[in-house]
Amino acid sequence: MRKSDNKITTCYTSLECNSCKILQKRKFTDGDFVFSSSENCSDCDGKMMITKIFGVTMD
Amino acid sequence: MDFNFDEFLAWVGEDIDTLMMLIWIIPVIVFVFYGQRIQLLISSNEIKKDIDKLEEYTASTKKDFLNYVKNNLTSKTDPSKRLDSFFDYFTIMPVDMDPNGIISKINHLVRSREDFIRLQINGMFSDLSSVELSKLQNLLEIVTTLQLFYKHTRHLYLTAKKQKNFPLILPLQMMIPFIMEEAVALKDAMPAIKKGQPIGDSIGPMIVGQMMLDTTKESAAFETVWSKTTFEDRELFLLKAEGPNATVGRPGDGFEKIISNKKPDLVIMIDASLKLEGEDSASIAKGFGAAIGGIGTERFKIEEIATKNQIPILALVIKQSIHEAITLMTQTIADKANAVRDELHQMIRENTTSGQTVLVIGVGNTIGVSQ
C-alpha cells in the first residue's frame, strides 16, 4: 500500500482455479507473479493460477 | 529648485488629467525597461518550485533504493558508496554528423552500458537471482534518470538567472510540465518495481505470456523467450521477454533467430502506447508498423528484417498515460487482457489464411509476468 498525493493504492492478486475455474481475489503478497500457481483451490483442491495483479486507487 | 508639495497638490487638483497620465505612463516605462526581468522573476519562481520537487524526488528515490538494497540483499562490503557512483554515470552518444551506421553504434553503446552495470551489480552482492538483478537495474535507472532531470533543469534555470536572460528560461518553462509528469511517474514506479509487480507496460507480455502457457519455451535471445502454438490452422510463433524478470528483453535479436528457423507470413506486435490527451485509458487501437518504444535500435532491427523479407507488420496497442505505463498496472488495463486477445485472434483471422505462420511479439517490460 502506498500513499501519493492523498491517494492510496492497494495491490490485489486475482487467481483462477485450473479445475473448477472459480475466481478469487486477495491482497498481493511478496513472491506473487502472473501465471504462477502455488496455492490450492479451497473448493476442489485443484491448482490456483494467478491471472492478474493490479492496483486499485482510492482517494 | 525647492519643491513645494502644497503647490504641486494645488496644480494636480486643477489638472486631474495630468495625474492620470502619470499613473499610466510610469508602469509603461517600468515595463518597457524592466518587463523581461519581471517576467523572468515570475517564471523562475514557478520553475524553482518544480526544481525543488525534482530534488526531493531524487533524494527520496535514492534513499529508498539504498534502503531496499541494505534490507533485502547480502553484500560483503557496504554497497552504498559504489552504488552512489553509478547515479552519476553518463552516456556519450555517438557522433551523428555522418549518420551512416549510427544505429549499430548506439546499440553497442547501450548494450555495453547495460552489461557493465549488470556485471558490477552482480559482483557486489552474493546469491543474486536474475529477477533481483533486473529489479536493481530498473531501480538504478529510475534514480539516474531523476538525477539527470534535476541536474539539467537546475543548470538551465541557474544559467538564465545568472545571465538575466529571459528567452533562455522560455524553453524550460514550456518543457517543465512534461518533465514533472515523467518525474512523478518515475517516483511512483519505485514501489511496484521493488515488489516485482506488473506495470502498465507489462500488458503486451501478459497477453503473449498466457498464450505461451503449456508450450515449450526456448531462449530466443538474451532475456527473451519464444515458443510455438497453433490457432485455427495457423502456426503461431510467440515471442516475449523472459518473465518475471524486470526486463524488455531483445525482441530484435529474437526475431532474427526465429526467421532463421522459419519465415513468418505476418508479424503482430502487442504493446502499451502513450495515449493522446482526451483518449480513454486502456482503449485498444490497431495499426501498421512496429509497435515498440525505447531508443529505437530494436525497432530498427525489426523493421529491417521485415523489409528484407517482405513481411507485413501490424500493431495492436493498449493506450495509457506515462504514469499508468510505468507504475503498478491498473485494474482497467488488467481487465482489458481478454479483449486484446480477442482483437489479436480477429487480426490473425482477417490477415492470414489456413496454413500460414504468424509471429506474435509481446513488447514491454515483463516484470511480475511469467509465461
Side-chain angles (χ1 to χ4, degrees):
Chain A
M1 211 153 51
R2 70 193 158 81
K3 206 176 174 181
S4 168
D5 299 322
N6 300 323
K7 285 179 181 174
I8 298 168
T9 301
T10 312
C11 187
Y12 291 99
T13 297
S14 187
L15 304 106
E16 189 183 323
C17 175
N18 285 337
S19 309
C20 66
K21 304 289 169 196
I22 193 171
L23 295 169
Q24 275 181 15
K25 192 175 114 174
R26 59 159 169 80
K27 281 196 176 174
F28 175 88
T29 53
D30 284 342
D32 282 355
F33 61 85
V34 179
F35 307 133
S36 68
S37 4
S38 55
E39 292 163 43
N40 287 335
C41 176
S42 52
D43 281 23
C44 73
D45 218 33
K47 275 277 174 201
M48 299 287 285
M49 187 178 71
I50 296 176
T51 50
K52 287 173 208 168
I53 293 172
F54 54 88
V56 177
T57 305
M58 280 168 290
D59 288 324
Chain B
M1 198 176 84
D2 289 333
F3 178 76
N4 189 326
F5 195 70
D6 291 332
E7 271 180 27
F8 175 74
L9 280 180
W11 170 72
V12 164
E14 286 165 13
D15 194 354
I16 197 79
D17 288 347
T18 316
L19 178 70
M20 290 309 289
M21 197 177 74
L22 276 175
I23 289 170
W24 280 106
I25 278 180
I26 291 168
V28 170
I29 291 168
V30 169
F31 277 110
V32 164
F33 290 103
Y34 298 101
Q36 279 204 344
R37 284 191 187 188
I38 294 166
Q39 271 183 294
L40 177 69
L41 208 70
I42 296 165
S43 307
S44 62
N45 275 344
E46 288 301 311
I47 291 167
K48 181 77 176 69
K49 281 180 202 164
D50 285 335
I51 290 172
D52 288 345
K53 274 187 201 165
L54 280 177
E55 188 181 14
E56 187 197 315
Y57 295 167
T58 310
S60 67
T61 51
K62 206 183 274 185
K63 197 177 154 195
D64 219 13
F65 175 60
L66 293 174
N67 280 342
Y68 175 80
V69 166
K70 273 180 197 164
N71 298 332
N72 296 281
L73 305 168
T74 45
S75 168
K76 290 162 203 158
T77 52
D78 182 21
S80 312
K81 212 173 175 182
R82 277 186 76 188
L83 286 171
D84 219 31
S85 69
F86 290 152
F87 300 146
D88 283 320
Y89 267 66
F90 58 86
T91 308
I92 303 167
M93 292 312 267
V95 174
D96 57 2
M97 282 187 289
D98 175 12
N100 183 33
I102 196 165
I103 298 286
S104 55
K105 286 183 196 170
I106 295 173
N107 201 26
H108 168 68
L109 195 70
V110 171
R111 285 194 180 170
S112 308
R113 183 177 169 226
E114 282 171 7
D115 293 343
F116 171 81
I117 299 282
R118 193 179 301 111
L119 204 70
Q120 294 289 318
I121 295 176
N122 217 4
M124 248 186 272
F125 306 99
S126 44
D127 306 326
L128 200 61
S129 67
S130 62
V131 176
E132 209 56 57
L133 177 61
S134 65
K135 273 158 68 177
L136 284 182
Q137 279 181 276
N138 278 246
L139 292 170
L140 190 64
E141 197 72 39
I142 290 175
V143 182
T144 315
T145 311
L146 279 170
Q147 176 140 311
L148 197 75
F149 282 175
Y150 168 61
K151 283 191 171 180
H152 275 257
T153 46
R154 186 185 59 175
H155 164 74
L156 287 170
Y157 166 77
L158 290 176
T159 311
K161 276 204 93 176
K162 189 175 152 188
Q163 298 177 359
K164 294 187 174 58
N165 189 340
F166 177 66
L168 207 61
I169 214 155
L170 285 175
L172 186 58
Q173 199 181 10
M174 284 190 284
M175 285 310 296
I176 204 113
F178 301 103
I179 295 170
M180 290 311 292
E181 194 184 0
E182 205 164 320
V184 171
L186 284 166
K187 172 186 69 83
D188 289 347
M190 289 287 284
I193 307 282
K194 280 194 295 186
K195 288 183 176 172
Q197 296 163 338
I199 55 174
D201 191 40
S202 311
I203 187 74
M206 196 168 124
I207 285 141
V208 175
Q210 200 201 20
M211 295 167 79
M212 274 185 168
L213 293 170
D214 304 323
T215 63
T216 311
K217 273 80 72 176
E218 283 178 56
S219 171
F222 180 70
E223 292 183 332
T224 314
V225 287
W226 79 290
S227 71
K228 288 180 196 173
T229 188
T230 52
F231 170 74
E232 294 182 3
D233 287 335
R234 280 94 163 163
E235 191 175 21
L236 297 189
F237 292 161
L238 309 166
L239 180 75
K240 75 179 276 291
E242 192 174 5
N245 294 14
T247 178
V248 291
R250 293 181 180 172
D253 290 358
F255 186 18
E256 198 169 32
K257 183 175 176 175
I258 289 170
I259 210 152
S260 67
N261 183 346
K262 189 181 177 184
K263 182 188 151 187
D265 300 288
L266 175 70
V267 175
I268 301 177
M269 298 180 78
I270 309 169
D271 193 12
S273 162
L274 282 186
K275 72 182 179 87
L276 301 172
E277 280 304 326
E279 281 187 318
D280 291 329
S281 277
S283 57
I284 304 166
K286 293 181 279 185
F288 304 93
I292 184 165
I295 202 160
T297 49
E298 292 295 325
R299 197 168 101 197
F300 178 86
K301 195 160 195 173
I302 290 167
E303 286 170 348
E304 199 176 48
I305 299 168
T307 309
K308 205 171 158 187
N309 293 280
Q310 290 295 295
I311 308 166
I313 308 177
L314 297 179
L316 186 54
V317 297
I318 302 93
K319 300 280 183 111
Q320 42 199 283
S321 68
I322 178 81
H323 192 269
E324 288 168 325
I326 64 172
T327 56
L328 176 61
M329 188 181 281
T330 62
Q331 190 172 9
T332 331
I333 295 170
D335 287 347
K336 272 289 163 87
N338 287 337
V340 178
R341 208 168 296 116
D342 291 344
E343 284 285 354
L344 172 71
H345 289 157
Q346 194 58 30
M347 274 174 112
I348 294 170
R349 277 186 210 107
E350 284 170 0
N351 296 286
T352 56
T353 53
S354 272
Q356 286 197 310
T357 308
V358 184
L359 168 64
V360 184
I361 310 177
V363 181
N365 192 321
T366 191
I367 183 167
V369 180
S370 66
Q371 53 279 321

